[in-house]
């Protein structure tokens, strides 16, 4: 009798773990969203997106960027719906796994027509030109584009200076453009925008909300001007550019807005 009771007590933890696993699992792995947990509920798979149909055009804002091992990059894509298009268009990519290529969304439609392709090359990425194939399709139409990512042996040259430049502009934005929100709580990914470009160094700070580009002239004061360029994530066009430069009249550095087109762009992006 004692041996049987002891055996039951030893089995209780195992039974509890199994029961807990059953309760927490709720549904199969086909449905990873399982809250709230209801042991008596019937498992249901997520509702698939509405199947789309009709014509559209897939466009890229630019088709070439430069990067480097542990660097980054972002490319903008959109669909232009035809008059007969309805529902969703599925977007997929084919890329070398070491590029770390991802889409911000894999479904586009007439109301939400823009997605972004980001790359985060690993240290193992082969140097040279990589082709990323983007395919957009619905039930009746398909189109593909080939994008190019050229990987160089490069890295961040002046991280501290880049961060200092960003801080100067975000402080100014807080005063001059409070409608854009708080930049202090952004979590930034930093990478060199144009590998192999010197004298004027270019960097991109990427967060969930913003693509924030800065560049600065690597010279001694007062010739060390800098510029910024700002685009909301998910938008096609930048919304603001500015320059910080020495002003003899003020006897100090002054930040002023400039036309977005005056921000220096290389290689088409």
């Amino acid at each position: 009798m004692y041996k049987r009771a002891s055996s039951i007590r030893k089995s209780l933890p195992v039974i509890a773990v199994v029961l807990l696993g059953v309760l927490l699992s709720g549904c199969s792995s086909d449905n990873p969203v399982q809250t709230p947990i209801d042991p008596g509920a019937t498992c249901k798979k997520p509702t698939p997106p509405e199947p789309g149909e009709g014509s559209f055009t897939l466009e890229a804002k630019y088709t070439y960027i430069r990067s480097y091992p542990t660097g980054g990059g972002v490319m903008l894509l959109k669909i232009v719906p035809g008059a007969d298009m309805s529902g969703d268009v599925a977007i997929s990519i084919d890329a070398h796994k070491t590029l770390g290529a991802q889409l911000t969304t894999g479904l586009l439609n007439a109301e939400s027509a823009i997605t972004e392709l980001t790359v985060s090359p690993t240290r193992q990425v082969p140097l040279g030109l990589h082709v990323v194939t983007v395919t957009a399709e619905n039930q009746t139409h398909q189109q593909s584009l080939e994008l190019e990512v050229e990987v160089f042996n490069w890295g961040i040259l002046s991280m501290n200076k880049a961060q200092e430049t960003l801080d100067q502009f975000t402080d100014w934005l807080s005063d001059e453009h409070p409608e854009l929100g708080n930049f202090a709580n952004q979590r930034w990914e930093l990478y060199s925008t144009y590998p192999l470009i010197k004298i004027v160094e270019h960097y991109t700070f990427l967060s969930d909300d913003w693509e924030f580009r800065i560049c600065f002239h690597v010279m001694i004061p007062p010739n060390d001007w800098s510029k910024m360029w700002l685009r909301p994530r998910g938008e096609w066009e930048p919304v603001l550019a500015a320059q910080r430069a020495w002003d003899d009249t003020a006897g100090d550095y002054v930040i002023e807005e400039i036309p977005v087109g005056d921000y220096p762009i290389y290689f088409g992006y």
Side-chain angles (χ1 to χ4, degrees):
M1 188 70 175
Y2 171 81
K3 288 184 180 181
R4 184 175 179 182
S6 175
S7 176
I8 291 174
R9 284 198 298 272
K10 289 180 181 180
S11 302
L12 285 176
V14 177
I15 296 171
V17 170
V18 171
L19 288 174
L20 181 61
V22 171
L23 290 174
L24 291 179
S25 64
C27 298
S28 70
S29 59
D30 290 336
N31 183 9
V33 181
Q34 298 165 6
T35 54
I37 298 171
D38 181 358
T42 301
C43 294
K44 294 182 179 180
K45 292 186 178 182
T47 303
E50 177 188 352
E53 59 183 11
S55 62
F56 60 84
T57 302
L58 177 64
E59 295 183 1
K61 190 171 180 63
Y62 39 85
T63 59
Y64 169 89
I65 60 172
R66 292 184 168 201
S67 194
Y68 54 95
T70 72
V74 59
M75 307 180 85
L76 278 61
L77 298 154
K78 70 177 179 180
I79 57 167
V80 179
D84 60 337
M85 197 194 92
S86 63
D88 294 317
V89 175
I91 311 294
S92 61
I93 55 174
D94 183 18
H96 196 285
K97 63 180 181 180
T98 57
L99 278 180
Q102 294 184 343
L103 292 168
T104 54
T105 179
L107 286 176
L108 300 179
N109 51 53
E111 290 72 36
S112 181
I114 297 174
T115 187
E116 297 174 5
L117 170 70
T118 59
V119 297
S120 300
T122 68
R123 294 185 184 277
Q124 291 73 38
V125 65
L127 302 182
L129 193 66
H130 294 260
V131 174
V132 179
T133 302
V134 181
T135 301
E137 59 184 328
N138 59 20
Q139 292 189 106
T140 59
H141 187 67
Q142 182 184 85
Q143 184 184 347
S144 294
L145 287 179
E146 289 191 346
L147 308 178
E148 296 178 333
V149 180
E150 191 165 10
V151 178
F152 294 88
N153 184 17
W154 197 249
I156 294 177
L157 300 180
S158 308
M159 180 181 292
N160 291 339
K161 177 61 176 176
Q163 184 64 56
E164 177 188 341
T165 303
L166 175 76
D167 293 342
Q168 290 166 346
F169 282 117
T170 55
D171 288 345
W172 173 78
L173 285 168
S174 297
D175 294 333
E176 298 297 323
H177 289 282
E179 74 279 4
L180 295 178
N182 185 1
F183 287 87
N185 61 1
Q186 299 290 317
R187 297 181 62 181
W188 301 105
E189 175 190 354
L190 168 63
Y191 57 86
S192 176
T193 313
Y194 303 122
L196 303 187
I197 294 291
K198 296 182 179 180
I199 307 302
V200 176
E201 295 185 18
H202 295 254
Y203 294 93
T204 295
F205 287 82
L206 202 64
S207 74
D208 290 340
D209 300 324
W210 300 101
E211 180 186 2
F212 198 131
R213 299 190 193 183
I214 58 105
C215 66
F216 48 84
H217 194 205
V218 186
M219 296 288 284
I220 60 173
N223 298 312
D224 55 339
W225 54 262
S226 57
K227 295 183 180 182
M228 62 152 285
W229 176 102
L230 187 65
R231 180 186 66 86
R233 297 293 299 275
E235 298 293 331
W236 195 250
E237 299 291 347
V239 295
L240 183 70
Q243 175 174 286
R244 180 181 183 271
W246 180 264
D247 187 297
D248 287 331
T249 302
D252 199 355
Y253 288 91
V254 174
I255 297 179
E256 295 180 325
E257 288 188 42
I258 61 174
V260 169
D262 286 354
Y263 187 90
I265 298 293
Y266 295 91
F267 313 111
Y269 71 95

